[in-house]
Amino acid sequence: MGTLRVPKVVPSADQDCERLKKAFDGVSPTRCVCGRWGTDEKAVIRVLGCRTTSQRRIIKDRYQQLYNESLIARLHSELSGDFGKAVILWTQDPPERDARLAKDALRIKRKGIKHLEVIVEVACASSPHHLMAVRQAYCSLFDCSLEEDIASTVDMPLGKLLASLVSSYRYDKEVVDMSVAKSESATLHEAIKAKQLDCDQVAWILCTRNFFQLRATFDCYKLNYGNPIDVDIKGCGNGDLESLLKMVIWCIDSPEKHFAEVIGNSIIGLGTDEDSLTRAIVSRAEIDTMKIRGEYYNMYNSSLDNAVIGDTSGDYKNFLMTLLGAKI
């Protein structure tokens, strides 16, 4: 369950567009900043931060029709910093947002797998329909497929696994065959025991079975072999493949656990990884941030809301907290 709070009586799209236009034009005298009228950021948050995906899409379309300008382009010109990035990501259609995030991730030349998180999230923590929409958006935006870019930028064996994950189109109904779960948990156990994590059978199971079937397989694995499968995978070593497979399994089996860890890693320690924090909250606010909040407490014995408040400030903090259901 998400934490987005939508008013009981939602203004019309035209009314919301008018409020946004006034916020950008700074019609309130209280918005005078450095000798000019400034943007009313709170008004932007009150409108866009309290609307669903479909409502934001209508607002975006009506804004273009009413004022002959792109709402996204106007947000780019009016807002800045982490606040601006967060609002723009939230306002974009989710498939376009995730396609752009995936492209940005693939442009990064960095050791490790942290920058590849968003690709695993799209492939394994989203519906098959959303993954297909992201792939279509990626082709439209960048004139090539997501699979092609992964193959050309991510080294083997990580690239092979990621390309297979984003190429899959899983059945999205709750269909489980327990005999298959038992058989494939044994196959996974043999591969892990032999430390052959890059074998084709592992990739085939993880990339083709529906999520309900895979969760049953993971349950069978723990029942039959004593440990959760991700624990045994980490026992094979601390390499990038082991880390990537653990991420894949968490995103399939318990997305809220993965995103709680993403938020924790972005906040705990020196500095804040605002990009990861923003991505986690923006992408899940309408899906499962209530569960993420619970998992965060289980992992860190502290409140997610307090952690966000303590590590962010200003309009950026207010916007994230609005998506988490707070009244600002």
Side-chain angles (χ1 to χ4, degrees), residues 181-195:
K182 183 177 179 181
S183 170
E184 293 187 347
S185 67
T187 299
L188 292 171
H189 179 68
E190 288 301 314
I192 292 169
K193 188 168 66 172
K195 296 189 177 181

Side-chain angles (χ1 to χ4, degrees), residues 20-298:
L20 289 171
K21 188 72 163 63
K22 287 181 178 179
F24 298 147
D25 293 342
V27 297
S28 169
T30 62
R31 305 307 303 166
C32 185
V33 180
C34 299
R36 67 175 182 86
W37 302 120
T39 303
D40 187 348
E41 290 86 356
K42 286 186 173 58
V44 174
I45 294 172
R46 283 194 294 269
V47 174
L48 294 176
C50 300
R51 301 293 183 271
T52 66
T53 296
S54 59
Q55 290 166 346
R56 298 193 304 275
R57 186 179 296 119
I58 294 170
I59 291 169
K60 193 168 54 172
D61 291 344
R62 283 299 290 153
Y63 192 92
Q64 177 72 49
Q65 294 165 1
L66 290 170
Y67 305 113
N68 195 32
E69 68 174 352
S70 160
L71 176 58
I72 297 292
R74 189 65 192 264
L75 290 169
H76 271 291
S77 68
E78 295 292 334
L79 309 179
S80 61
D82 296 313
F83 172 58
K85 288 181 185 177
V87 173
I88 290 165
L89 283 177
W90 177 248
T91 307
Q92 289 172 333
D93 281 346
E96 178 186 350
R97 174 201 70 210
D98 287 348
R100 292 186 182 279
L101 287 172
K103 184 66 171 181
D104 290 342
L106 292 172
R107 287 190 177 115
I108 296 172
K109 304 298 182 184
R110 183 187 301 163
K111 290 183 179 180
I113 64 162
K114 181 172 173 54
H115 61 293
L116 301 174
E117 282 178 337
V118 64
I119 297 174
V120 177
E121 292 162 6
V122 169
C124 301
S126 305
S127 72
H129 303 294
H130 179 70
L131 172 58
M132 182 63 71
V134 172
R135 291 170 62 192
Q136 291 171 340
Y138 197 97
C139 287
S140 298
L141 289 167
F142 307 116
D143 294 324
C144 67
S145 72
L146 177 56
E147 299 93 311
E148 287 176 296
D149 269 356
I150 288 171
S152 64
T153 58
V154 182
D155 293 336
M156 298 284 277
L158 305 185
K160 180 180 178 181
L161 177 60
L162 287 174
S164 297
L165 286 168
V166 302
S167 301
S168 68
Y169 186 74
R170 305 175 195 269
Y171 188 63
D172 66 344
K173 300 296 190 294
E174 189 170 353
V175 175
V176 174
D177 185 325
M178 291 309 298
S179 64
V180 170
K182 183 177 179 181
S183 170
E184 293 187 347
S185 67
T187 299
L188 292 171
H189 179 68
E190 288 301 314
I192 292 169
K193 188 168 66 172
K195 296 189 177 181
Q196 294 177 342
L197 301 180
D198 60 345
C199 75
D200 290 343
Q201 286 178 305
V202 171
W204 188 89
I205 292 168
L206 294 177
C207 298
T208 59
R209 294 302 188 192
N210 75 70
F211 292 142
F212 301 99
Q213 181 68 51
L214 284 170
R215 288 167 192 150
T217 298
F218 300 155
D219 287 344
C220 276
Y221 187 100
K222 182 178 180 181
L223 181 66
N224 292 330
Y225 305 110
N227 284 327
I229 186 171
D230 59 290
V231 172
D232 282 353
I233 285 172
K234 289 303 291 182
C236 292
N238 295 313
D240 288 342
L241 181 59
E242 289 84 357
S243 297
L244 186 67
L245 283 169
K246 175 250 186 183
M247 188 188 303
V248 168
I249 288 163
W250 277 25
C251 282
I252 292 170
D253 195 38
S254 181
E256 60 273 13
K257 190 174 177 180
H258 164 77
F259 284 102
E261 183 179 68
V262 169
I263 293 172
N265 289 340
S266 71
I267 289 175
I268 296 168
L270 293 175
T272 304
D273 179 358
E274 289 87 359
D275 289 344
S276 295
L277 177 61
T278 297
R279 187 187 78 246
I281 294 176
V282 163
S283 65
R284 308 305 289 192
E286 294 181 83
I287 301 173
D288 58 358
T289 32
M290 287 290 286
K291 288 185 176 181
I292 293 170
R293 182 180 277 144
E295 282 294 339
Y296 188 93
Y297 187 84
N298 291 338

